[in-house]
């Protein structure tokens, strides 16, 4: 069966219930599916369950896949979405297990230093590629097909396939670079080919095939629950084009905008709306719009001041209006820059309401400007970001011999951020700009990173009198003695958001 195409095998299975055909498909692609799942879940047992769910989904959808489907890319994307569904339900329970496993994995592969930096970012970077670019990368580097084979699979010329691969690699390189991982397209290509896919545990392919071939009839309840969640996410993704096209027709008709907004408002009262907002695919699958609602009080849980950006589109859940204003007007270099959430860089020339709001703005371009306009329309507030001379603190290196800052190369998903406990502040995988942001919030005064350590990330722990965190002398002594840093008072122009009532 090695010469039979994937689509032919799917047809044989869907029409004739050929277990042999499905087993061949599992054998061909189980390494790709398992390896992708393992990058997300971190624990082999969880990756096995995700892989099982993916092939059950394939069995259920076998008869509906189009002849032009690139199965490798379809399986890769389905694995990524299924992993998201799994992690959404398992994140709390697996936190410490995953942390332990990933630490051991890093040690086992210490020789693959480039891969240890790429791996945690790879699948998110792949998700941001267009469908055709993602198919090209999966075929060329995950499945290690030559350019001729890629061209045949994509139904393009070999030259076009080469251009598509080169373009996709450049997009990946740009994505990694913005997240502090400098590399070249050649290195990225080599690392993906060498490390992205590896052999599954012995016997796994046979086990997966036996359960999937009967479409999950003998699967565990947890696997069936996972499949249900994954199919829901996949449905949102598949609706993107249809919904966008429908929106264009609706909004082109006179008077239909009100109908659309009313439906959004009705959906907003459904708790699924909040969970949908945690997934950037939900935003991209919706008709383009900007909406702001008072927070829905019937939710089982809510985020306090949750605001996030996904390459343009944005959402907020239970967010104060000053969060919306800072998001709408500050334009950081990267979405991860969080200084825009610091109230000390906001000057209010008017009183703001104390209520909280749910919002999103999902325009592919101009999402921030659209949010500005909606805030002005609903609340009558406008903002302006401009330099204003003010008191500030410069974070500088005072003693480079102090070893409190521990350089950190690999990124481990659960082991990320700041934690405060027992009079200590611990940080993992943090930049000096992250530390400056944290100190700015703590000290309630702008803090500007002047260490020059712009490309490094660190682990560190600092202790000081947290009962009096505004005590600059106390904090400065701790920074100097424990990290070799200091805060230097100054008066400089700082980018500030000035909020006022519109005329």
């Amino acid at each position: 069966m090695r010469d039979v195409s994937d689509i032919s095998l799917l047809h044989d299975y869907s029409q004739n219930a050929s277990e042999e055909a499905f087993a061949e498909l599992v054998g061909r692609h189980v390494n790709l599916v398992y390896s992708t799942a393992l990058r997300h879940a971190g624990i082999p047992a969880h990756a096995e369950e995700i892989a099982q769910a993916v092939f059950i989904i394939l069995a259920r959808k076998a008869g509906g896949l189009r002849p032009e489907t690139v199965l490798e890319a379809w399986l890769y994307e389905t694995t990524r979405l299924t992993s998201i569904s799994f992690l959404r339900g398992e994140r709390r329970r697996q936190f410490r297990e995953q942390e332990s496993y990933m630490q051991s994995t890093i040690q086992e592969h210490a020789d693959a230093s480039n891969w240890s930096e790429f791996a945690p970012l790879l699948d998110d970077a792949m998700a941001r590629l267009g469908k055709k670019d993602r198919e090209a990368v999966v075929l060329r580097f995950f499945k290690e097909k030559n350019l001729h084979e890629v061209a045949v699979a994509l139904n393009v010329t070999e030259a076009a396939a080469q251009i598509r691969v080169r373009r996709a690699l450049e997009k990946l390189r740009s994505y990694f670079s913005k997240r502090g991982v400098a590399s070249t397209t050649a290195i990225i290509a080599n690392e993906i080919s060498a490390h992205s896919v590896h052999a599954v545990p012995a016997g796994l392919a046979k086990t997966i095939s036996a359960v999937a071939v009967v479409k999950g009839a003998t699967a565990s309840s947890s696997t069936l629950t996972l499949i249900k969640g994954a199919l829901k996410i996949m449905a949102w993704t598949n609706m993107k084009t249809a919904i966008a096209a429908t929106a264009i027709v609706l909004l082109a008709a006179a008077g239909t905008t009100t109908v659309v907004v009313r439906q959004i408002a009705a959906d907003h009262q459904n708790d699924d709306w909040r969970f949908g907002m945690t997934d950037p695919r939900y935003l991209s699958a919706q008709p383009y719009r900007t909406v702001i609602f008072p927070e829905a009080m019937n939710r089982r849980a809510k985020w306090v001041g949750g605001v996030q950006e996904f390459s343009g589109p944005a959402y907020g859940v239970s967010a104060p209006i000053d969060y919306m204003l800072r998001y709408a007007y500050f334009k950081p270099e990267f979405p991860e820059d969080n200084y825009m959430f610091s109230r000390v860089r906001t000057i209010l020339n008017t009183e703001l309401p104390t209520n909280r709001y749910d919002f999103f703005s999902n325009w592919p371009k101009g999402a921030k400007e659209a949010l500005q306009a909606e805030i002005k329309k609903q609340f009558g507030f406008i903002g302006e970001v401009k330099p204003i001379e003010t008191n500030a603190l410069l974070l500088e290196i005072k003693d480079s011999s102090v070893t409190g800052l521990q350089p950190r190369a690999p990124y481990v998903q659960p082991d990320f951020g700041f934690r405060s406990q027992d009079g200590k502040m611990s940080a993992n995988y943090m930049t000096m700009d992250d530390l400056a942001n944290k100190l700015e919030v703590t000290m309630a005064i702008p803090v500007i990173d002047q260490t020059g350590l712009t490309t490094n990330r660190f682990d560190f722990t600092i202790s000081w009198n947290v009962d009096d965190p505004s005590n600059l002398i106390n904090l400065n002594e701790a920074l100097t003695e424990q990290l070799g840093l200091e805060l230097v008072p100054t008066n400089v122009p700082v980018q500030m958001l000035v909020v006022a009532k519109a005329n």
Side-chain angles (χ1 to χ4, degrees), residues 167-183:
R167 179 180 63 194
L169 284 174
E170 178 56 33
K171 290 178 180 178
L172 293 178
R173 186 205 63 75
S174 176
Y175 178 88
F176 292 141
S177 176
K178 290 179 179 179
R179 283 145 185 83
V181 181
S183 187

Side-chain angles (χ1 to χ4, degrees), residues 329-347:
Y329 283 95
F330 273 127
K331 299 181 184 298
E333 182 178 0
F334 303 123
E336 293 80 5
D337 293 349
N338 60 4
Y339 69 77
M340 63 182 177
F341 298 120
S342 171
R343 287 183 170 85
V344 302
R345 298 202 186 193
T346 305
I347 298 175

